[in-house]
Amino acid sequence: MKRTLIHNATIVNEGQSLTGSVVIENGRITEVLTKGKPLSAPCDEIIDATGCHLLPGIIDDHVHFRDPGLTHKADIFTESRAAAAGGVTSIMDMPNTNPLTTTLDALNAKFDLLNEKCIVNHSCYFGATNNNYKEFGKLDKQRVCGIKLFMGSSTGNMLVDKMNSLLNIFNEAEILIATHCEDQETIKRNTAKYKAMFAGDDDVPIIKHPFIRSTEACYTSSELAVRMAKVAGARLHVLHISTARELQLFSDNPLNAKRITAEACVSHLLYTSADYKTLGARIKCNPAIKSISNRDALRKAVNAGVIDVIATDHAPHLLSEKEGGSLKAMSGMPMIQFSLVSMLDLVDQGIFNLKTIVEKMCHAPAQIYGIHQRGYIREGYHADLVLVRPGSPWKVTADKILSKCGWSPLEGRTFNWKVEKTFANGHLIYSDNTVDETYRGAELRFNVND
């Protein structure tokens, strides 16, 4: 049985940063060697990690790999390849595909695709509709990561807008509900207002997107979701918070004391509405990128423990589909390959510290979803690990982009951190700018607590 030693790294894990080594054997972490703890037996392979930081593999709870049915822009194989290159070892895929993942048959077909094509570990959401809540009880809670509820329409139009349906969903769900919160009536009113304002055009300028999908639209919907979850006692995770106002709906209690949690996405932590001037619809997403005051409030909320998870909402489209403004350009952007290095760049800027990034991108997703034996560097856990090196400047160029859509809003940007190696289940899936395209990740398993 092969034993691999990752030697002399700075191990960042569970609020500590310690020089040490990790032994991988049979897909598991068998030894964590810090504070002078000796190696129990010789190793077959030694990886010199001097100068590198060893982190748990990134867990991205919010991706759109577009498979099945939308594979002209992305598919499970291409996007999981990009994930591996970015240090992401586990993903949870969203249901707004074609067909929608809103029936048990479609769910099983999605799992089959993931098992066939996904290089990293995986699960997927079951999509809520106005009338499929009776299917919730048939879901395998150890296999399905959660129920995705669109309380605002976005790509795929899975809007659930009937109050009776929402009540049924919140009352019947026995697993986590992950919500996209934007109030549709507010968006409709704002759309009509800006269409009238630009009546001579067949579109509305992209700079108006955050006024159409406004703070009011986000807060109204998020407030309703939080209120309904509290009444029903449901486990709620509100996705891609984009406004300062929404933050008052969430607490800074310790994570293990929360039943209502919040996610921020990399794009909302990086960009502001001023960036529309240079990047245009490339950064159009739902909910919209908003003002610098909103971005800065999100950053503070990450540090304060109000925001629990950092994810990507990785949502590829072809550049041709991103042409136009607020009404015509499709919403979403590819982010998974560069999510970790983007957040490490914010560490360099003094906005976050490295332990916070590990908490929000590794530990918290594992804890919130109850992922079995992943998300931490612990003996006995699956060996999902990423080795990153600081002080290694490189630039994002088109030839480095592994997502099928072939572009990134980060093109031209220089990062000082580099993902050197990514391990999934102890297997080296990324090293020296090369992905092992033959490897397939494992299905995530979830602890059923209640």
Side-chain angles (χ1 to χ4, degrees), residues 193-218:
K193 172 184 172 181
Y194 284 97
K195 272 186 171 179
M197 194 178 294
F198 295 92
D201 302 326
D202 61 353
D203 203 348
V204 173
I206 190 62
I207 58 171
K208 300 301 182 185
H209 186 55
F211 299 97
I212 293 174
R213 289 182 175 261
S214 61
T215 294
E216 180 192 1
C218 294

Side-chain angles (χ1 to χ4, degrees), residues 10-27:
T10 300
I11 300 170
V12 185
N13 183 58
E14 300 190 70
Q16 293 187 301
S17 183
L18 300 170
T19 301
S21 303
V22 166
V23 177
I24 301 170
E25 191 173 359
N26 197 27

Side-chain angles (χ1 to χ4, degrees), residues 63-70 76 93-114 123-129 132 135-136 139 144-150 156 158:
V63 307
H64 300 264
F65 279 4
R66 306 300 192 200
D67 210 343
L70 302 168
I76 289 167
D93 193 45
M94 289 296 172
N96 51 335
T97 48
N98 184 18
L100 302 171
T101 316
T102 55
T103 67
L104 296 179
D105 285 346
L107 179 68
N108 289 328
K110 173 71 77 69
F111 274 117
D112 288 345
L113 277 176
L114 285 163
S123 182
C124 60
Y125 292 85
F126 186 74
T129 69
N132 72 346
E135 299 295 287
F136 294 173
L139 300 175
V144 179
C145 59
I147 292 163
K148 175 63 182 290
L149 171 59
F150 283 91
M158 287 180 60

Side-chain angles (χ1 to χ4, degrees), residues 279 282 394-398 401 408-415:
L279 292 168
R282 288 190 180 213
W394 62 281
K395 185 183 286 189
V396 178
T397 52
I401 296 168
S408 168
L410 292 161
E411 281 178 73
R413 190 156 179 167
T414 296
F415 291 108

Side-chain angles (χ1 to χ4, degrees), residues 38 143 189 234 253 397:
R143 193 184 193 201
R189 283 198 310 273
N253 291 336
T397 52

